[in-house]
Amino acid sequence: MNIVTQCCGIALLIIIAYFYKRQKKVDLRSSRYFGRALMVGLVCLILDVVSVFAIMADRLYGGSIGSPSIVVDIICKLYLIALMFMAYFGFAYTTTLMPVTQHGEIIIQRASFFIYLTGAAVTFVVPIDYYTNGTNITFSFGPSCIVTYLFSFYFLIITFVMVLIYRKRVPWNITISMISWVLCGSLTAGIQFFHPNLLLVGFGTALGLFVLFLELENPVIRIDRTTGLFNLSTFQMYIEDFYKKDLQFSYIYVKIIDDLASTSERYSAIMMSAANYFGNLPHSKTFYDGQSGYIIVFRDPVAASGKAEEINHRAHKFCEEKGINFIEAFETQGRRADSVTEILELLGQLSVNGEYSDSNIIVMTDSMYERLRQERNMAKEVENAIAEDRIEPFFQPIYSTNEDAFTGAEALVRIRREDGSIVPPGMFIPVTEKTGQVTNIGDIMFEKTLDLIKNGGLADLGVKFIDINLSVLQCEDDTLSDRYLQKMREADVPPQMFCFEITETAMIVDRDSLLKNLSAFRAAGCSCSLDDFGNGESNLNYVVDMPINFIKADRSMVTKYTESSRVGLIMDSMIHMAKGLSLKVVAEGVETAEDLNAMENLNIDYIQGFYFSKPLPKDEYITFLKKNKRTA
């Protein structure tokens, strides 16, 4: 009898079911459907084998070919109906993986189930025939089989169409796995349709389920190997179920902060100890984010509230014993986030934007979500501005007291909105420093300033240097000086026209890379300056060691110089130190005639501020230079 492939399929599904049942699983809607699909697949294959035996028995014990008994008729049609149900169930399983609402999912499944019932009824009513040679070839055929093929192909086609529609909104492995499922069913059904003696459809179903198990439903792929807890991708799928069902949930997030010098053995032991505790909390599911963070999800906000203080107490004790630290956050209304992605973004920013309670637990608030959304929108605005060339340098003139002329300027970044208005730098610079976009902006500012120096005739207007601000991230780039100096050579612009500004914060981040870049700039003829001196991590040893030409007095010191005797003493000392180190001093934030007179009396070398001019767009800056050019 030709039942070898069916028996192989049954064995394969039994093995899958064994491994599937013995592993711990998170309560996902798709997983429940997959478990049912395994049972349906087994029933389908068993009915396939039983139908072959029934046909053979009918042939051996008095039935006539082409006129099957009522029992054989029912058994064969039950197999066909089960086969059609498997195709329907594959489509229903697919809907649980797609980003549709639960209401939409229910409507789709009910409509498709009605179509299945229609197909099952027609299959049961129309006649069926079969053939057997009495030994190794047995199969059914006729109108009932054709109806089954048509309806099964219908479900395979709409499964394929749904996957194509949502392919950009689901992970690639879901798309590939569901297409593989469709191909397994379609190819084996097509082969059996043209060669009915090859009973491959049942085995094709088992093979498709095997692919789904390996790629999507294998519990092992949902488990983090270090901790034995559910991993981050499983957390995303689990929470998406809450969004689909429009259900509220709560969660507690605990992040362990260990010493960077900790050994891998110590780190693993700490993570396992924490996982053993968090993973055994009742009425919850615990997930590990892969970066020392544990997310404990509760369906009941009351249960979560009761556990937050207990976890905080246990975590304090645990971390004291291990000599480590931790952050704990508590969210009673998980649905305040627009999506799982927003939850993960917020958790990633807790240490920066966290609002702590009296017990040192970060309590999620509406304002935290609002800040996150504002930052995300601004990051998108910056991304679009970069793509659409809306990053502009504005230039604030710098006045030389010795030459009585505007011999320099500072290039300050601005973003022009699509409507022509300007985004204030305070709104986007902190965001770009978090996202890393500041490096792209820095490169754009350099290239546009380089173009102005080359083509704007600045040297003829008395300009001797333009200040370019370097971000912390730029300072950490070992290739920065090589790239910029190469572009100066290609543009035939003398390096002396550039002065690169760093902040005191940049000096303490990656000092080796910073020194390499600044030394290369200085060796090529560029100038370097220390910005906002007196308003950061001031360390005179750093100033002595840095290859700089200028220091810029912080704006707050300039404005308070005439008001505070202490500030006056500090300014006097700073200028004395600068002169002793052969450094030039630039006073920023000079806004009044009183400020100007005070700075000139201190013998400040350069003055910058609104007293002379606000930062100007390129064309207005050129006009300013022409208007204020010193005549011989």
Side-chain angles (χ1 to χ4, degrees):
M1 291 182 291
N2 49 338
I3 60 171
V4 175
T5 55
Q6 294 94 318
C7 291
C8 290
I10 290 172
L12 181 60
L13 290 185
I14 290 174
I15 292 172
I16 294 172
Y18 170 75
F19 284 104
Y20 184 71
K21 292 293 183 182
R22 69 189 295 265
Q23 297 284 349
K24 73 173 184 178
K25 295 178 288 296
V26 68
D27 186 25
L28 295 175
R29 185 170 173 82
S30 60
S31 297
R32 294 197 297 272
Y33 267 71
F34 180 76
R36 295 166 190 167
L38 284 177
M39 297 302 103
V40 173
L42 273 172
V43 170
C44 184
L45 281 165
I46 291 170
L47 283 173
D48 192 4
V49 173
V50 171
S51 67
V52 172
F53 275 106
I55 293 172
M56 289 292 295
D58 186 70
R59 172 73 172 81
L60 292 174
Y61 298 108
S64 58
I65 298 176
S67 180
S69 69
I70 188 67
V71 174
V72 177
D73 188 278
I74 291 173
I75 291 174
C76 290
K77 288 183 177 181
L78 283 176
Y79 160 64
L80 295 177
I81 290 171
L83 188 62
M84 190 190 304
F85 187 68
M86 190 68 236
Y88 154 75
F89 216 83
F91 172 71
Y93 170 75
T94 304
T95 63
T96 67
L97 299 172
M98 299 298 116
V100 295
T101 64
Q102 187 178 24
H103 179 66
E105 181 184 316
I106 291 172
I107 292 175
I108 293 171
Q109 289 184 1
R110 285 179 178 174
S112 57
F113 186 68
F114 176 78
I115 294 171
Y116 160 72
L117 289 178
T118 302
V122 175
T123 299
F124 201 79
V125 170
V126 299
I128 187 170
D129 297 312
Y130 67 81
Y131 169 83
T132 179
N133 65 358
T135 54
N136 64 337
I137 298 178
T138 301
F139 59 87
S140 57
F141 63 98
S144 188
C145 292
I146 292 174
V147 171
T148 301
Y149 276 116
L150 290 175
F151 276 87
S152 296
F153 270 115
Y154 165 77
F155 286 118
L156 290 173
I157 289 170
I158 61 174
T159 298
F160 183 73
V161 170
M162 175 171 276
V163 171
L164 287 184
I165 290 173
Y166 290 108
R167 69 187 184 280
K168 293 183 179 180
R169 297 175 59 188
V170 296
W172 67 269
N173 63 323
I174 290 180
T175 301
I176 297 299
S177 299
M178 295 316 304
I179 289 176
S180 299
W181 159 265
V182 171
L183 289 176
C184 285
S186 301
L187 290 175
T188 53
I191 292 171
Q192 186 169 324
F193 181 80
F194 292 105
H195 302 279
N197 59 306
L198 300 176
L199 305 183
L200 297 175
V201 174
F203 181 75
T205 297
L207 192 61
L209 287 170
F210 180 64
V211 171
L212 297 182
F213 174 75
L214 289 180
E215 286 293 328
L216 303 180
E217 298 297 339
N218 183 357
V220 174
I221 67 175
R222 303 196 190 284
I223 303 296
D224 175 75
R225 293 187 178 183
T226 302
T227 61
L229 300 175
F230 296 115
N231 56 28
L232 193 59
S233 63
T234 309
F235 169 76
Q236 292 176 284
M237 297 177 69
Y238 184 64
I239 297 302
E240 282 169 1
D241 265 5
F242 283 92
Y243 280 92
K244 274 190 175 184
K245 298 172 185 175
D246 197 25
L247 296 176
Q248 191 57 266
F249 62 93
S250 300
Y251 64 84
I252 298 169
Y253 176 71
V254 180
K255 185 174 182 65
I256 304 296
I257 304 172
D258 193 16
D259 186 354
L260 293 175
S262 179
T263 64
S264 59
E265 291 81 4
R266 169 182 157 84
Y267 174 81
S268 297
I270 290 173
M271 293 303 106
M272 281 303 302
S273 297
N276 289 336
Y277 169 63
F278 295 131
N280 291 311
L281 292 172
H283 313 299
S284 65
K285 298 286 184 183
T286 303
F287 305 83
Y288 182 64
D289 69 359
Q291 298 179 337
S292 309
Y294 301 84
I295 311 171
I296 306 106
V297 180
F298 297 83
R299 293 178 180 271
D300 181 9
V302 176
S305 299
K307 284 295 177 184
E309 291 290 345
E310 176 188 324
I311 289 174
N312 187 261
H313 176 73
R314 290 286 297 271
H316 270 295
K317 183 178 179 181
F318 174 78
C319 290
E320 285 178 4
E321 292 174 354
K322 303 294 183 181
I324 56 179
N325 294 308
F326 76 99
I327 296 173
E328 180 182 351
F330 178 41
E331 171 59 282
T332 57
Q333 303 175 51
R335 288 292 304 279
R336 277 193 289 196
D338 292 335
S339 64
V340 184
T341 301
E342 188 168 86
I343 291 175
L344 296 176
E345 285 183 38
L346 190 63
L347 294 181
Q349 296 187 14
L350 283 179
S351 58
V352 178
N353 293 333
E355 299 178 12
Y356 290 85
S357 67
D358 293 338
S359 56
N360 207 37
I361 299 175
I362 299 175
V363 179
M364 304 296 194
T365 63
D366 290 335
S367 62
M368 292 174 67
Y369 286 99
E370 184 60 28
R371 280 200 302 271
L372 176 68
R373 289 162 187 159
Q374 288 176 353
E375 289 180 0
R376 188 194 303 124
N377 292 338
M378 183 52 64
K380 186 64 178 177
E381 175 73 35
V382 172
E383 181 183 336
N384 292 337
I386 292 173
E388 298 166 8
D389 193 27
R390 291 189 281 110
I391 304 294
E392 292 185 27
F394 276 41
F395 299 90
Q396 186 169 33
I398 296 177
Y399 173 75
S400 170
T401 57
N402 294 327
E403 300 183 45
D404 188 26
F406 294 98
T407 60
E410 180 176 0
L412 299 165
V413 63
R414 298 291 186 268
I415 290 178
R416 192 174 295 278
R417 295 189 179 96
E418 292 181 345
D419 62 5
S421 61
I422 297 297
V423 181
M427 289 181 62
F428 68 85
I429 288 179
V431 175
T432 62
E433 289 174 342
K434 288 182 181 180
T435 62
Q437 294 167 311
V438 69
T439 57
N440 291 338
I441 290 176
D443 289 345
I444 292 170
M445 287 290 292
F446 170 76
E447 290 170 3
K448 291 194 172 185
T449 302
L450 180 69
D451 180 71
L452 177 64
I453 294 173
K454 179 181 179 180
N455 301 310
L458 296 190
D460 295 335
L461 294 171
V463 176
K464 297 181 178 180
F465 65 91
I466 300 289
D467 284 0
I468 294 284
N469 289 283
L470 297 180
S471 68
V472 171
L473 288 177
Q474 285 178 288
C475 293
E476 293 176 341
D477 179 4
D478 287 336
T479 69
L480 178 73
S481 54
D482 293 335
R483 290 190 293 110
Y484 282 13
L485 291 172
Q486 177 63 29
K487 289 183 178 181
M488 291 180 207
R489 288 190 290 269
E490 291 172 356
D492 196 26
V493 169
Q496 289 78 8
M497 290 296 293
F498 282 94
C499 178
F500 292 99
E501 281 191 18
I502 61 168
T503 63
E504 293 185 60
T505 304
M507 292 195 302
I508 61 174
V509 176
D510 186 346
R511 199 154 178 260
D512 291 339
S513 295
L514 174 64
L515 281 171
K516 174 186 176 298
N517 284 316
L518 294 187
S519 297
F521 283 135
R522 283 295 306 275
C526 302
S527 300
C528 298
S529 67
L530 176 60
D531 196 14
D532 295 336
F533 184 75
N535 188 37
E537 306 292 335
S538 298
N539 187 319
L540 295 181
N541 290 328
Y542 283 171
V543 176
V544 171
D545 293 339
M546 284 291 127
I548 57 176
N549 310 74
F550 299 85
I551 58 173
K552 282 193 165 185
D554 179 61
R555 179 173 179 268
S556 62
M557 295 182 67
V558 172
T559 56
K560 293 178 181 178
Y561 176 76
T562 58
E563 303 171 3
S564 170
S565 58
R566 288 188 175 184
V567 173
L569 290 173
I570 294 172
M571 284 282 288
D572 291 340
S573 299
M574 182 187 74
I575 294 169
H576 179 73
M577 177 201 71
K579 299 296 184 183
L581 295 173
S582 300
L583 301 177
K584 301 292 186 181
V585 180
V586 182
E588 292 185 296
V590 174
E591 298 183 355
T592 66
E594 185 180 11
D595 292 339
L596 176 63
N597 292 332
M599 295 303 105
E600 287 181 332
N601 291 334
L602 283 172
N603 293 320
I604 295 288
D605 301 289
Y606 295 94
I607 295 175
Q608 176 183 349
F610 275 50
Y611 178 80
F612 292 116
S613 173
K614 65 181 181 180
L616 302 169
K618 176 181 66 175
D619 293 339
E620 292 182 27
Y621 172 59
I622 296 295
T623 301
F624 175 90
L625 290 176
K626 291 178 179 178
K627 181 179 178 181
N628 292 277
K629 182 180 179 181
R630 191 181 66 173
T631 57

